[in-house]
């Protein structure tokens, strides 16, 4: 069954942070009758608190975090006209959290972390349903874990799209005829029924996956910024909103650190060509950015993104000279440690690479474990540089245009450019600079390319 008019609306943590934010988001939902499914993140701050609890805390610290969670959610409960209806359910979830946090203080595990962390979205969706009901809107709470089947890679689980599609048409689609459906982003379950999560910020991804499974006509991502900008406006106040952008460009931006969309979000949208709208629930009238299949006159330079805390690993080996198989061996070791490589450059006797941390809870220094370093060191000399920033220029036909090098690097004369990657993709050019220079580099480049 397909619902050509179905819009999936996703609201991020700041859009469900408190009672007023939830009501503004409810206004947004009700202003478009095509919105049939609402996907929510946890209220802002909750996931971080739950992650901290899942790390295993001693009793005093644990109570501080538990109190903070209770306060954020009760501030919402207490403003409802009939708080008693929902209080019991929220209380039950808070009790679960307390028990699971105590278990984590004895022994942590990734499965336990996901179970614990999922409570943020379970609570925010319960509260939002109640807010809608108080406005006499017919809304039903739906546990997304019934249909969001994933593998068991806890913390960064991958969805099984075929199963999701089948389960969604059996269990979710019929509900859309009855009333508005409110469900959780970010969480899922593996085949044995254990709770999993799609990686931090994964609610956007959930919304896009549901869009694909339900053949939706659009996915709306409501956040706290009115769209996608040429760069982070907090860093460059002159940054401009992009009204329309192609999937490929937006995907590059997300991957390279623009915080607006989760990097995997656009995969399902691209697969089935569903447009994704990004706007601010604080100011829906301000409009936003539409990410879609096609844009007219795509510009050479579209946007700048920065990813901080990058680690550069350089491997030197004289035996690489005139030999073969060295790179294969290096990549093999990395693959065995589940580390994927982000940027690479090579010379005759060395290879430099950065580690991909997109979408994961890990930082690159935690990916670089002692056992990985030991194994690499047995093969070659290893050099590790930390605290670099990756600056990515997103554009169109970049690798085919002339003068790109001069236009980009001409203004960066005062800076040390540690590594450059250009040519593999026509959508980006990226390079590494010392972390402390990132802001200045982006400001200068933005001024030169966009202002
Ligand atoms: N609540 C989750 C997080 O903070 C998922 C999301 O917000 O998309 O990472
Ligand atoms: Mg979020």
């Amino acid at each position: 069954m397909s619902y050509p008019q179905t819009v999936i609306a996703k609201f991020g943590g700041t859009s469900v942070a408190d009672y007023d934010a939830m009501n503004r988001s409810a206004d947004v939902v009700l202003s478009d009758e095509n919105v049939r499914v609402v996907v929510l993140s946890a209220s802002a701050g909750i996931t971080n608190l739950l992650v901290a609890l899942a790390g295993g805390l001693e009793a005093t610290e644990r109570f501080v975090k538990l109190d903070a969670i209770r306060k954020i959610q009760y501030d919402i409960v207490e403003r409802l006209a009939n708080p008693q209806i929902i209080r019991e359910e929220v209380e039950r979830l808070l009790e679960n959290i307390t028990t699971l946090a105590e278990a984590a203080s004895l022994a942590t595990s990734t499965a336990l972390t996901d179970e614990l962390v999922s409570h943020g979205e379970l609570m925010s969706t319960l509260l939002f349903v109640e807010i809608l009901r108080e406005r006499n809107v017919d809304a039903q709470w739906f546990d997304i874990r019934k249909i969001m089947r994933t593998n068991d890679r806890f913390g960064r689980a991958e969805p099984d799209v075929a199963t999701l599609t089948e389960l969604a048409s059996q269990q979710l689609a019929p509900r859309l005829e009855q009333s508005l459906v409110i469900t959780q982003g970010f969480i899922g379950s593996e085949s044995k029924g254990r709770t999993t999560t799609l990686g931090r910020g994964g609610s956007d991804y959930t919304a896009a996956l549901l869009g694909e499974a339900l053949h939706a006509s659009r996915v709306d991502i409501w956040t706290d910024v009115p769209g996608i900008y040429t760069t982070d406006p907090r860093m460059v106040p002159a940054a401009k909103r992009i009204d329309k952008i192609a999937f490929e460009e937006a995907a590059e931006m997300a991957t390279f650190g623009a915080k607006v969309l989760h990097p995997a979000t656009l995969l399902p949208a691209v697969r089935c060509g569903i447009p994704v709208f990004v706007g601010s629930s604080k100011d829906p009238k301000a409009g936003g950015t539409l990410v879609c299949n096609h844009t007219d006159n795509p510009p050479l330079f579209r946007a700048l993104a920065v990813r901080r805390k990058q680690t550069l690993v350089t491997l030197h080996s004289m035996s690489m000279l005139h030999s073969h198989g060295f790179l294969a061996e290096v990549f093999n070791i990395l693959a065995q440690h589940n580390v994927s490589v982000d940027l690479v450059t090579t010379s005759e006797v060395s290879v430099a690479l950065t580690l991909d941390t997109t979408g994961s809870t890990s930082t690159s220094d935690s990916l670089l474990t002692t056992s990985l370093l030991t194994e690499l060191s047995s093969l070659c000399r290893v050099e590790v540089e930390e605290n670099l920033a990756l600056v990515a220029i997103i554009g169109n036909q970049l690798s085919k245009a002339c003068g790109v090098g001069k236009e980009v690097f001409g203004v960066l004369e005062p800076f040390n450019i540690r590594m450059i990657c250009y040519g593999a993709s026509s959508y980006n050019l990226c390079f590494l600079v010392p972390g402390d220079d990132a802001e200045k580099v982006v400001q200068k480049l933005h001024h030169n390319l966009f202002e």
Side-chain angles (χ1 to χ4, degrees):
M1 220 184 312
S2 94
Y3 294 82
Q5 294 304 333
T6 300
V7 170
I8 316 284
K10 177 259 167 176
F11 294 86
T14 50
S15 302
V16 291
D18 51 38
Y19 182 79
D20 294 325
M22 281 199 175
N23 271 294
R24 278 193 300 269
S25 297
D27 291 337
V28 171
V29 170
L30 300 175
S31 69
D32 182 350
E33 57 177 15
N34 292 327
V35 172
R36 313 287 287 279
V37 180
V38 175
V39 174
L40 301 184
S41 291
S43 301
I46 296 281
T47 308
N48 286 347
L49 289 162
L50 291 168
V51 168
L53 287 172
L57 297 176
E58 46 94 16
T60 332
E61 267 296 293
R62 210 160 66 229
F63 295 133
V64 172
K65 306 281 184 213
L66 287 166
D67 277 347
I69 294 173
R70 175 178 291 271
K71 173 157 190 339
I72 295 172
Q73 307 289 235
Y74 265 80
D75 279 350
I76 302 175
V77 172
E78 298 306 343
R79 288 190 59 189
L80 292 165
N82 291 304
Q84 59 283 4
I85 303 174
I86 192 88
R87 203 182 275 137
E88 215 170 283
E89 285 185 81
V90 173
E91 202 48 51
R92 183 179 53 80
L93 292 173
L94 287 168
E95 265 165 37
N96 279 351
I97 295 174
T98 309
T99 314
L100 293 166
E102 207 177 305
S105 74
L106 301 174
T108 59
S109 85
T110 53
L112 177 59
T113 298
D114 279 3
E115 180 62 36
L116 188 45
V117 164
S118 71
H119 282 70
E121 273 70 12
L122 295 174
M123 291 189 291
S124 66
T125 44
L126 271 176
L127 292 165
F128 197 73
V129 167
E130 206 46 44
I131 283 194
L132 287 168
R133 288 190 181 149
E134 290 204 342
R135 295 166 140 215
N136 293 318
V137 176
D138 204 3
Q140 55 183 316
W141 186 86
F142 181 73
D143 188 337
I144 196 76
R145 292 173 295 183
K146 287 189 183 148
I147 63 170
M148 186 59 72
R149 178 66 54 77
T150 70
N151 64 8
D152 63 0
R153 191 169 169 200
F154 297 102
R156 202 180 176 178
E158 282 135 31
D160 168 353
V161 175
T163 306
L164 165 65
T165 305
E166 193 187 319
L167 293 173
S169 74
Q170 289 164 6
Q171 303 199 39
L172 180 55
R175 291 170 189 264
L176 305 189
E177 320 235 304
Q178 303 158 359
S179 73
L180 199 57
V181 171
I182 313 301
T183 195
Q184 306 78 35
F186 178 54
I187 69 175
S189 70
E190 44 86 91
S191 57
K192 292 189 201 122
R194 289 178 296 176
T195 301
T196 55
T197 61
L198 304 177
R200 291 305 303 269
S203 299
D204 296 348
Y205 191 24
T206 305
L209 287 164
L210 289 181
E212 181 181 36
L214 296 169
H215 307 286
S217 59
R218 204 178 64 235
V219 174
D220 291 345
I221 305 285
W222 294 101
T223 164
D224 54 0
V225 285
I228 302 178
Y229 280 69
T230 47
T231 197
D232 187 342
R234 281 166 300 189
M235 206 182 335
V236 182
K240 292 188 221 70
R241 212 239 324 276
I242 303 167
D243 292 330
K244 213 170 168 195
I245 185 171
F247 284 131
E248 292 81 0
E249 299 172 277
E252 295 277 350
M253 287 181 73
T255 307
F256 285 113
K259 296 265 155 42
V260 204
L261 286 176
H262 181 272
T265 310
L266 294 162
L267 294 174
V270 172
R271 283 197 293 259
C272 50
I274 301 178
V276 176
F277 172 83
V278 182
S280 164
S281 65
K282 276 193 190 127
D283 191 5
K285 290 204 180 62
T289 300
L290 189 69
V291 190
C292 54
N293 251 329
H294 172 79
T295 59
D296 298 321
N297 308 318
L300 180 63
F301 297 111
R302 176 66 94 181
L304 289 173
V306 191
R307 214 202 275 153
R308 293 177 185 277
K309 295 216 173 82
Q310 301 295 292
T311 302
L312 181 67
V313 182
T314 311
L315 308 167
H316 307 270
S317 166
M318 281 316 277
S319 61
M320 191 164 152
L321 195 66
H322 306 305
S323 74
H324 49 79
F326 177 73
L327 285 181
E329 219 166 320
V330 167
F331 281 84
N332 200 8
I333 294 173
L334 292 167
Q336 275 159 10
H337 285 83
N338 262 323
V339 170
S340 72
V341 171
D342 198 25
L343 305 183
V344 202
T345 58
T346 63
S347 82
E348 186 57 39
V349 292
S350 50
V351 47
L353 45 90
T354 64
L355 310 180
D356 188 359
T357 52
T358 26
S360 80
T361 33
S362 333
T363 56
S364 41
D365 34 316
S366 64
L367 286 175
L368 216 52
T369 55
T370 327
S371 70
L372 172 57
L373 282 173
T374 312
E375 217 170 312
L376 287 172
S377 302
S378 70
L379 192 69
C380 54
R381 185 163 62 80
V382 182
E383 203 184 320
V384 177
E385 290 164 71
E386 270 160 356
N387 195 24
L388 292 162
L390 186 164
V391 178
I393 298 173
I394 320 298
N396 292 281
Q397 308 281 350
L398 282 172
S399 54
K400 298 195 179 84
C402 299
V404 168
K406 181 163 181 235
E407 200 156 351
V408 170
F409 296 112
V411 286
L412 299 183
E413 218 172 359
F415 301 99
N416 167 236
I417 311 288
R418 186 59 192 83
M419 179 188 195
I420 301 176
C421 282
Y422 175 55
S425 155
S426 63
Y427 294 106
N428 76 59
L429 179 171
C430 33
F431 54 90
L432 293 176
V433 293
D436 294 340
D437 289 342
E439 193 153 329
K440 268 189 245 120
V441 165
V442 170
Q443 287 162 347
K444 251 201 143 90
L445 262 182
H446 191 276
H447 186 74
N448 203 48
L449 303 180
F450 300 99
E451 290 167 36

